[in-house]
Amino acid sequence: MNQTFDAPTLIAVKRDGHRLTDGAIDWLIESYTAGHLADEQMSALLMAIFLRGMDAHETARWTAAMIASGERMDFGDLRRDGRPVPTVDKHSTGGVGDKITLPLVAVVAACGAAVPQASGRGLGHTGGTLDKLESIAGFDAALSTARLREQLTDVGAAIFAAGALAPADAKLYALRDITATVESLPLIASSVMSKKLAEGAAALVLDVKVGSGAFMKSPAQARELADMMVELGAAHGVPTRALLTDMNTPLGATVGNAIEVAEALEVLAGGGPADVVELTLTLAAEMLALAGLDRRDPAATLADGTAMDRFTAMITAQGGDLAVPLPVAACSETVTAPGGGTMGEIDAMAVGMTAWRLGAGRARPGEGVQAGAGVRIHRRPGDPVRAGEALFTLYTDTPERFGPACAELDGGYRILGAADTPVVPRPLIIAGDPGMKA
Ligand code: URA
């Protein structure tokens, strides 16, 4: 490692709005991952980056250094019955009620691709795919590379803990979370893409969320983030497409862990909420196009049960048992309509925070979550509501959480009267692919 660098000088370079050199970025990431750079120094640098930004070249180098901090997998030689199997994955920038990964990996696998999906646990108001899956009895997210390869060959899908992939990101993300430096475009882009490029899928689809429940509140910000990540994919030889999708309202009718798995199973059985089905099929079509399998019909796999078969096979391969009933929270409380009218907008952030207060999410990395906690939404925006009808059901094992949870939900929705402006339905897919750059 080059010893000519020192942290105070490099922090000052970025503080004063200058570029970090390639060597400086490599040194910073290597030193921090190895524990040679103090959290205080990296915190100061992250804040300088947050305020001053990084240009495209710095962001690409920062991403490459994070990838190099761990293992980079490669499934280019995957074969089934002697034929190559294309690999493709998707990543969502995080939303409320976002259980799309569960049906999506199964649909894409049923269409003939292999999906190596490295996932994370939730932090704050956005849920984590692994937290949801771990509500299934026996499910194990820790897969060795050998088991992962075997599962991708036999089943076509695996959802596993990022583990040794981009360990620099795990450290940096935890530090960003406690230093108010998460919402920086180059830091988010490099964080997402370092894990996804290390994971070894040959192509990638990004679901960039926009709205109250997302990191990106405006379509313009989300477009900038999407373009940055598409460029990073291209620079690493991984064809990448991005969709911008609405996250002002939670996806589907459930927010939590086990209750989201139950909803994903409804979708896999050919039913489920229309928005969850629409986003699953839209993302599947993008993934299949990148994998060269666009003659397959993803909707048919939900109708004919082949996606459900793939999902069951994936869960079984990872030790899970879908025959065991999903956990149910010990306590529930229903919020009813005080009067009649029409359900107005439901704020995704408010519902995400409600689920978090109920115990579905964690405040610090490493904390446990309640498998049964969460929120069921009975009336969607635009639905007619009668006085006394159930609007939301809240679930938790710890009833003392109902008070703070109800306080979060209050103000997150409104029953509209005849004199109010009616809800204008928002398109779920805001914008499509900004262009495949590789
Ligand atoms: N998701 C990530 O993986 N990283 C971020 O920085 C934000 C969302």
Side-chain angles (χ1 to χ4, degrees):
M1 195 185 299
N2 190 332
Q3 293 298 322
T4 59
F5 295 109
D6 69 89
T9 305
L10 296 181
I11 295 166
V13 165
K14 192 40 81 181
R15 179 199 63 197
D16 297 339
H18 303 299
R19 292 183 67 233
L20 293 167
T21 63
D22 290 355
I25 289 173
D26 293 350
W27 181 83
L28 285 161
I29 298 287
E30 273 180 55
S31 306
Y32 186 58
T33 311
H36 301 144
L37 202 70
D39 280 347
E40 292 84 339
Q41 292 173 310
M42 186 49 92
S43 302
L45 179 70
L46 290 172
M47 187 54 81
I49 292 173
F50 183 93
L51 296 171
R52 294 294 197 168
M54 284 198 290
D55 67 19
H57 184 88
E58 286 174 293
T59 307
R61 190 70 183 202
W62 186 272
T63 308
M66 292 215 292
I67 295 171
S69 72
E71 187 187 343
R72 183 168 184 182
M73 298 193 286
D74 182 358
F75 299 110
D77 59 349
L78 215 62
R79 291 216 154 15
R80 193 179 294 140
D81 302 328
R83 289 209 207 96
V85 185
T87 56
V88 60
D89 190 21
K90 82 101 197 188
H91 182 81
S92 151
T93 55
V96 177
D98 186 0
K99 70 279 296 171
I100 301 296
T101 290
L102 276 53
L104 179 64
V105 300
V107 166
V108 174
C111 289
V115 188
Q117 158 91 206
S119 280
R121 290 186 170 74
L123 199 57
H125 76 283
T126 60
T129 298
L130 296 186
D131 293 327
K132 301 181 213 292
L133 284 172
E134 282 169 354
S135 65
I136 299 170
F139 181 84
D140 184 6
L143 291 184
S144 67
T145 309
R147 264 190 68 199
L148 177 56
R149 179 175 283 280
E150 200 177 294
Q151 192 172 319
L152 288 175
T153 308
D154 297 345
V155 178
I159 301 179
F160 57 98
L165 304 179
D169 179 60
K171 271 192 94 174
L172 282 169
Y173 193 84
L175 192 61
R176 286 166 58 210
D177 194 52
I178 55 167
T179 56
T181 52
V182 169
E183 293 92 346
S184 146
L185 294 190
L187 292 178
I188 295 177
S190 55
S191 162
V192 167
M193 294 304 285
S194 60
K195 285 173 291 210
K196 288 287 141 175
L197 294 168
E199 156 199 283
L204 186 60
V205 172
L206 301 166
D207 178 6
V208 181
K209 303 287 190 196
V210 190
S212 75
F215 283 121
M216 299 297 117
K217 307 296 179 200
S218 76
Q221 266 183 328
R223 164 60 66 211
E224 204 183 326
L225 176 64
D227 287 347
M228 220 180 252
M229 294 194 291
V230 168
E231 288 291 344
L232 286 171
H236 286 86
V238 175
T240 302
R241 293 182 176 187
L243 294 182
L244 267 51
T245 71
D246 185 72
M247 189 31 72
N248 286 292
T249 304
L251 268 171
T254 57
V255 180
N257 295 311
I259 56 173
E260 288 200 38
V261 174
E263 190 170 272
L265 288 168
E266 283 170 29
V267 172
L268 286 161
D275 57 346
V276 179
V277 175
E278 180 189 350
L279 189 52
T280 301
L281 295 178
T282 304
L283 290 167
E286 294 288 342
M287 291 169 74
L288 293 170
L290 281 177
L293 296 169
D294 42 352
R295 278 173 296 128
R296 310 289 166 94
D297 175 11
T301 69
L302 295 177
D304 66 13
T306 50
M308 180 67 99
D309 290 346
R310 286 302 88 198
F311 187 74
T312 307
M314 177 185 78
I315 298 297
T316 306
Q318 293 186 235
D321 186 352
L322 286 166
V324 176
L326 289 163
V328 176
C331 311
S332 67
E333 200 165 288
T334 300
V335 177
T336 55
T342 304
M343 180 59 104
E345 299 280 4
I346 300 175
D347 178 48
M349 178 60 98
V351 179
M353 290 299 291
T354 305
W356 177 66
R357 292 268 184 223
L358 290 166
R362 58 176 62 76
R364 292 181 190 291
E367 273 181 6
V369 298
Q370 293 184 20
V375 180
R376 183 176 302 281
I377 301 165
H378 298 287
R379 291 288 176 273
R380 304 277 304 165
D383 284 352
V385 171
R386 283 189 306 213
E389 269 185 344
L391 301 178
F392 302 94
T393 304
L394 278 47
Y395 302 95
T396 184
D397 294 330
T398 36
E400 60 275 18
R401 291 173 178 265
F402 281 130
C406 286
E408 294 287 356
L409 192 56
D410 248 16
Y413 69 96
R414 210 159 75 82
I415 309 291
L416 305 179
D420 290 309
T421 315
V423 179
V424 180
R426 293 172 200 273
L428 179 58
I429 315 296
I430 298 167
D433 170 37
M436 201 170 73
K437 301 278 176 61

